[in-house]
Amino acid sequence: MVVRPAGRHALLVELPDGERAGALHAELLRRRAAGTLPPVAEIVPGARTVLLDGVPDPEPLARQLADWDVPLTPPADGDVVTIPVVYDGPDLADVAALWGVAEDEVAALHSSYTYRVAFCGFAPGFGYLTGLPEHLHVPRRATPRTRVPAGAVALAGPYSAVYPRSTPGGWQIIGTMPDPTPLWDPAKERAALLTPGTLVRYLPLSRGSAPDPAPQSPEGLEGNGGTP
């Protein structure tokens, strides 16, 4: 890892890939919970970086980070959010072809994994979820859509995501979250439902069915999120 100063009271840690960035983020959270991490106000993961902001004395922490032995596999427990999905997306057939399966098998495959929110960005409440094996990674669409509806469940590269609001986008849409409202609610103390480190499971719904159970935040967990 490469540790760089980012202003007077912040450090930017650059990693070779997303897997190592996620592992470092998980290790930082673990050490902070255990009381063994020096004071840090915010820990903000990115695709290949982790920002530590609000560090009163960055230099000693920078030296510590260089000596850390960070396990590559993040812990498989923690907060779990369940996202109900109707697998009716316009790119379902294309994704099925890329995966070499029938369309009705996409839902079973996609929902069989436990995902982890690696980082957030693009739009408020938009979480980049990792967890798909490499052979199921898919490219972005050649031509982005000018409007992707709120609640669209989509794939691009190694990531899965749910669009919390209507925006342009170039991801492959495979389904719909019937009620995306809980993904971003600025009236709540925790405005974003999907925050870095949160585990996510997708729950397939039949077309026309009600979203029951509703998306569950960490205050209403349904399980420990162990990877199948």
Side-chain angles (χ1 to χ4, degrees):
M1 66 179 75
V2 177
V3 184
R4 305 183 188 277
R8 296 177 58 188
H9 298 291
L11 296 170
L12 183 68
V13 186
E14 300 176 355
L15 290 306
D17 51 45
E19 183 182 13
R20 287 170 174 79
L24 176 62
H25 177 247
E27 181 67 9
L28 287 164
L29 294 182
R30 186 191 69 78
R31 295 191 183 214
R32 183 161 70 177
T36 59
L37 183 70
V40 176
E42 290 190 79
I43 302 172
V44 185
R48 295 181 181 84
T49 61
V50 180
L51 175 70
L52 293 86
D53 195 14
V55 184
D57 193 3
E59 288 188 17
L61 179 55
R63 290 195 294 269
Q64 288 183 36
L65 287 168
D67 295 330
W68 280 12
D69 182 17
V70 179
L72 271 184
T73 305
D77 57 3
D79 294 347
V80 179
V81 170
T82 301
I83 301 291
V85 183
V86 178
Y87 286 88
D88 59 356
D91 299 318
L92 191 65
D94 291 340
V95 170
L98 288 167
W99 286 0
V101 300
E103 286 187 42
D104 57 5
E105 293 181 66
V106 171
L109 267 175
H110 182 249
S111 63
S112 68
Y113 299 98
T114 297
Y115 298 81
R116 179 178 291 272
V117 181
F119 58 97
C120 297
F122 175 64
F126 190 101
Y128 290 76
L129 279 58
T130 57
L132 273 179
E134 187 173 357
H135 71 279
L136 296 182
H137 295 180
V138 299
R140 293 169 58 93
R141 286 173 49 83
T143 303
R145 292 181 170 90
T146 57
R147 180 184 179 276
V148 174
V153 177
L155 307 173
Y159 303 115
S160 178
V162 187
Y163 283 74
R165 62 201 304 179
S166 176
T167 66
W171 290 30
Q172 308 275 2
I173 302 174
I174 60 171
T176 305
M177 179 182 176
D179 179 13
T181 305
L183 292 173
W184 176 255
D185 186 352
K188 292 184 178 180
E189 181 177 353
R190 175 172 163 164
L193 181 67
L194 304 181
T195 56
T198 300
L199 300 177
V200 177
R201 293 301 304 258
Y202 290 104
L203 176 67
L205 300 178
S206 59
R207 288 178 175 83
S209 62
D212 184 25
Q216 295 189 25
S217 70
E219 289 75 23
L221 304 183
E222 74 151 17
N224 65 9
T227 303

